[in-house]
Amino acid sequence: MSQTEDPKICIIYATQTGQSKTIAETINDEAITNGFEPKLYNIDQFGKDFKLNEITDPLIFVCSTTGDGETPESARKCFSTLKRLDTETNTNYLNNLNYALLGLGDTNYTQFCNGPKLFHKRFQELGAKCFYGPVWADDGTGLEIEVEPFKEGLWDVLDDFFKKQKKDHNKQLVENSDTDKLCEELNKLAIINPSLSNELSVPEFVENHFTIEFLDEKKTQDENGLLKIFSILYPQSSSGIFKAKIIENTKLTRDDAEKDCYDIKFLIDSDKEILTYEPGYAIDVICPNDDTEVTQLLKRLRVDDSKNKIFKLKSKDSSKKLGQTYVKITEENDINLEHFFKYCVDIRWNSLKKNFLRFLSEYCSDESEKNRLLQLSSREASEEYQSLIKENLITLLDLLNIFKSCQPPIEHLIQMLLGLNARSYSLCSSSSKQEMEFVFNLVKFKKDLNRTYEREGLGTGYLKNLKQNDHFYLMKRKFQNFTFPDDSEKPLIMIGPGTGIAPFIGYLREKKDILNNLNLYLFYGCRDPEKDFLFKNEILEDFAPNSKLFSVSFSRFVYDEKDKFVDFIEKHHVKDSKYVQDSIRFHSKEMIQLINEKNGYIYVCGDAKNMSKDVFNCFAECLCKELEMSNEQANKYLMDMIKNKRYKQDIWA
């Protein structure tokens, strides 16, 4: 929970005659008065505007009873959906739901408050936790006898709930372990490597040329202030920085999928600014550092008492380029230390270059810790640096948790930190629509190996938590290298497993009315057709029938013909194909004819580490097979295609 935002709550009412609606609206008004940010829903909005298993804010549920203990008509769709779930396989379906329940009934009827009680029982069976109540209000004796105490006690309970939530989060984030309690891999990071000699080639120490002055005035950054800071931090944003408003943030994958994939739909929140784009374009989203991580870092650096103060940086040597952007930010803007660390500097892995480790070593009072950081910064320890720090995406807070005697001055640390980069995402919407859209996989890092706390990816963790009507900032990516060919008559081979399908979805949506006239070949891959097949219905109903070829591969699913699992598999799935390159090999002859005889294009989007290399090698293999080329000739053929922009890649690490 951000320290600059009101804590968010969700209020849902299920009404038959309007009583629970009136009470819910009163709770909504009182929530605002008590410093909360509520969202109010009628339960008949279930499935359209909210899903119970996606609610992460505390829920206040006001539910009435109708007939002889039945749920209100507006709630029956929701309850029947929950009722159909198998409790044996869905015990954690509502694991993230924390709720307070106020039930309305009448003791003059046999089944008093049975409707709310049915919801309460089902919530519990599906893993939800009741943090307040349940309270059963009796219309026979007067609803206010129970309703008023419920409302009066609610705000203190919610305050305690958020305090506990924050305390638990902080405890998990900075649960510092002593060196002897860390796992074996962590010991490798913290303990001197005796096999390295004392003669090490280390980077030159970068002297501090900053001074810092804290002012007594405190400052909370407003929108105009942020935009000024962003314009300095991102000078490449020639097209401008856009304020966007979330329309919908939906989880696309099933709860038991290996990865959580989210789909964000948004609008540019401006009457004057328009973001023009075409299929294949990507946006750069400005994603701030996590509030709790920033708080704990400033505490570890012993500057948390000054975190809300405006500060000014000055350079003792203006000829030094390092950190001059930060000087300009503090000179031209009133920004406090907490917001500077939240919006301006990279405190994750990107800043932890070898010269940064050399810098940290200088401020260790423990000699063994100093020597170990010197080792890790050296040329001789390149393999250790790669395996222990870079590959494990160690953060600044991790290092400071491990090397406890390290206490760098805040002004020197700021000088050494890199600027916070925006995160790029391919648009999957048609440019003819005002509403824009992109998808992403949530990245998670467990507390293991060298990591001293659990965390989510900086960009994906931030985006996952955005809710309807929330705002975020973005830029159009400066270099758009994945635009589609103007010549629509030539074959276009599109390869995009996982979220790599995004730009192709945008292109297919753009060309939806003329797909029959195009020569399109789409290769897609996912783990399981039921768990994480993105845009499944749209692809199978709108795109696959109108493409020359659609082929899908499943890396974690084995199809048994006896099961007749899904009717599209026999038509669009090459048997035993786990990855897109398996399907490409199966269609080898046709693919090589398309690129060699018809001057077709190849577009690849997705993972740079494995997939893109494997696809390139697969096409080289197909060229060798079909045209009897040598490996060298096949590689040159594909490199010429890249040079002539007939083989394009939009890939990420």
Side-chain angles (χ1 to χ4, degrees), residues 295-342:
T295 298
Q296 295 304 323
L297 178 60
L298 296 180
K299 183 178 180 180
R300 170 62 181 81
L301 292 167
R302 301 176 186 172
V303 290
D304 51 321
D305 289 344
S306 301
K307 66 182 180 181
N308 294 320
K309 291 182 179 181
I310 295 172
F311 74 103
K312 301 295 180 182
L313 290 171
K314 290 185 179 179
S315 175
K316 292 179 278 188
D317 185 351
S318 58
S319 66
K320 303 283 187 182
K321 292 184 178 180
L322 191 64
Q324 292 297 341
T325 298
Y326 305 148
V327 173
K328 185 176 182 181
I329 287 174
T330 64
E331 280 181 346
E332 298 181 7
N333 300 273
D334 289 337
I335 184 170
N336 67 34
L337 192 64
E338 183 178 45
H339 285 149
F340 180 85
F341 270 81
K342 178 176 179 177

Side-chain angles (χ1 to χ4, degrees), residues 374-409:
L374 283 171
Q375 279 190 340
L376 291 168
S377 73
S378 70
R379 184 185 305 160
E380 290 77 7
S382 292
E383 288 186 10
E384 280 195 302
Y385 170 79
Q386 181 72 22
S387 63
L388 298 178
I389 293 180
K390 198 170 181 181
E391 290 181 4
N392 283 296
L393 302 181
I394 294 304
T395 69
L396 174 56
L397 187 55
D398 282 327
L399 283 181
L400 293 176
N401 285 342
I402 295 165
F403 296 92
K404 293 180 172 57
S405 75
C406 184
Q407 199 62 45

Side-chain angles (χ1 to χ4, degrees), residues 445-599:
F445 300 99
K446 293 182 179 180
K447 180 187 173 183
D448 60 5
L449 298 179
N450 312 328
R451 304 184 195 111
T452 60
Y453 59 98
E454 288 188 6
R455 51 188 172 267
E456 294 173 340
L458 176 65
T460 61
Y462 166 72
L463 291 169
K464 180 206 72 172
N465 291 318
L466 292 176
K467 296 181 174 58
Q468 188 179 38
N469 296 324
D470 284 349
H471 290 90
F472 66 100
Y473 295 93
L474 62 89
M475 304 167 285
K476 187 191 294 185
R477 189 196 284 177
K478 187 173 183 179
F479 299 106
Q480 302 287 353
N481 300 318
F482 205 66
T483 52
F484 289 87
D486 295 327
D487 187 353
S488 58
E489 293 184 2
K490 291 181 180 177
L492 175 59
I493 302 167
M494 301 175 286
I495 302 152
T499 55
I501 192 72
F504 304 128
I505 292 294
Y507 181 75
L508 293 167
R509 286 171 171 172
E510 186 88 2
K511 304 293 183 181
K512 184 176 179 180
D513 294 336
I514 58 168
L515 286 179
N516 278 322
N517 301 326
L518 304 178
N519 295 310
L520 303 180
Y521 301 79
L522 177 61
F523 291 90
Y524 175 63
C526 62
R527 289 173 174 79
D528 188 289
E530 281 202 312
K531 297 178 182 179
D532 57 2
F533 191 149
L534 307 184
F535 305 103
K536 179 178 176 180
N537 292 336
E538 190 174 6
I539 289 174
L540 295 178
E541 293 172 11
D542 297 338
F543 303 147
N546 296 305
S547 300
K548 300 296 182 184
L549 172 69
F550 169 65
S551 184
V552 60
S553 305
F554 307 119
S555 61
R556 303 288 192 277
F557 172 74
V558 179
Y559 173 51
D560 186 345
E561 292 182 4
K562 297 177 183 178
D563 295 338
K564 295 295 179 184
F565 180 74
V566 272
D567 55 6
F568 70 83
I569 283 188
E570 291 185 352
K571 186 175 182 181
H572 298 297
H573 173 65
V574 175
K575 189 176 181 181
D576 298 328
S577 65
K578 288 189 172 184
Y579 305 104
V580 287
Q581 54 267 33
D582 296 327
S583 295
I584 294 169
R585 287 191 189 94
F586 182 83
H587 295 282
S588 171
K589 185 175 182 179
E590 183 180 9
M591 293 302 104
I592 298 306
Q593 285 177 342
L594 292 175
I595 62 173
N596 190 54
E597 298 175 15
K598 299 184 179 181
N599 292 318

